[in-house]
Amino acid sequence: MNVPRVNTGTAWASPRRFQALAIALAVTVLALFPLVSDNAYYQNMAIMAFLLAVMASGWNIISGYTGYISLGQSAFLGIGAYTTALLSIHLGWSPLLAAPVGGLTSAAAALLLGLVGRRTRGIAFVIVSFAFLEFAALLVSNWSSVTKGNHGLALPLPTWDRELLNIPSTTPCWCCWC
């Protein structure tokens, strides 16, 4: 026997809609944070926290959802970071504009590794991912004409006011009396 459903009017309060609203609100707050706070210390801590959160999310996807153990996750971060730095140094791009290109380069490297490693299972996948990590480390260390080897790359100094670079800031923070 089919019983007709009664519309209770609570479809707007569904968990999916609430989750999408919470994500949109968080993205808006995070995008406006640098405009509200000029404290470089808090901005640096937020950037590092979100970087680690992205790395943890990537690990959750590959290991949590698929059950694979990947030891090469940090190689993709390095590929994106080196791409961003090289574009900033050699072409004069802003690191904020070069970062999406670094992400696309890292995604292309992940696609290539995925094409190679998709047929492996278990310990073979772990070995392939670890071999990729070691290959990336050797490439960065030995290709010193591009990556400066073990000395690393230095991005150009930012052009904003030098007072913003005082980490931690000499002015009291907005949340307490430090």
Side-chain angles (χ1 to χ4, degrees):
M1 174 184 206
N2 290 336
V3 178
R5 298 179 91 193
V6 177
N7 187 0
T8 59
T10 59
W12 62 270
S14 68
R16 288 235 185 243
R17 199 173 286 230
F18 178 73
Q19 184 180 21
L21 181 64
I23 290 172
L25 181 65
V27 167
T28 304
V29 168
L30 293 175
L32 294 177
F33 179 72
L35 301 175
V36 176
S37 172
D38 62 350
N39 191 331
Y41 176 75
Y42 291 126
Q43 290 180 8
N44 187 38
M45 289 298 109
I47 288 169
M48 296 307 287
F50 293 125
L51 178 67
L52 292 174
V54 167
M55 292 293 292
S57 297
W59 175 258
N60 185 33
I61 290 170
I62 192 70
S63 188
Y65 289 122
T66 65
Y68 285 87
I69 298 173
S70 174
L71 299 178
Q73 295 295 107
S74 57
F76 302 116
L77 173 70
I79 289 169
Y82 265 100
T83 302
T84 301
L86 290 171
L87 288 174
S88 297
I89 292 169
H90 296 297
L91 298 181
W93 291 16
S94 166
L96 297 176
L97 297 176
V101 178
L104 291 173
T105 305
S106 180
L111 180 65
L112 288 175
L113 182 66
L115 292 174
V116 171
R118 69 184 169 141
R119 299 194 189 277
T120 60
R121 301 282 184 261
I123 192 70
F125 183 80
V126 175
I127 292 171
V128 166
S129 67
F130 184 70
F132 178 72
L133 174 65
E134 288 301 313
F135 172 74
L138 285 172
L139 184 70
V140 168
S141 294
N142 293 320
W143 198 9
S144 59
S145 63
V146 174
T147 64
K148 305 294 186 231
N150 292 330
H151 298 290
L153 296 173
L155 289 176
L157 291 174
T159 57
W160 55 74
D161 187 19
R162 189 174 180 158
E163 282 300 312
L164 293 176
L165 299 177
N166 291 335
I167 299 176
S169 178
T170 56
T171 60
C173 63
W174 57 271
C175 64
C176 57
W177 296 276
C178 336

